Amino acid sequence: MPYFVFRIEAGPLPAARLIGEHARFADASRQAKSERASGVADGAAVRLVYAENALAAEALLLTPRPPAPRTGEDV
């Protein structure tokens, strides 16, 4: 499975734009770090995802995560 590099634009409806696809993690990581270092627009982020295809990777990125479980100490 390949590694995908996406730019996530912030907003009321976040949009993911594919900016790279790599067979090796090292190559994908290098591109993601380079993109972050070159400057990311306000509210945007660069993310790296490991998935079967670009569509599955985008779905993983845009699916909201459930809130972290709370313990009695968090209240």
Side-chain angles (χ1 to χ4, degrees), residues 4 6 8 16 49 51 53-65:
F4 298 95
F6 282 89
I8 310 296
V49 181
N53 56 48
L55 187 60
E58 186 175 352
L60 287 171
L61 283 175
L62 297 179
T63 302
R65 292 183 182 175

Side-chain angles (χ1 to χ4, degrees), residues 23-74:
R24 294 182 22 175
F25 174 78
D27 298 334
S29 177
R30 191 175 306 114
Q31 180 186 3
K33 289 176 182 177
S34 173
E35 292 285 335
R36 291 179 190 126
S38 68
V40 179
D42 292 334
V46 175
R47 303 284 302 272
L48 178 75
V49 181
Y50 181 67
E52 280 189 42
N53 56 48
L55 187 60
E58 186 175 352
L60 287 171
L61 283 175
L62 297 179
T63 302
R65 292 183 182 175
R70 298 181 70 190
T71 64
E73 298 173 1
D74 292 339

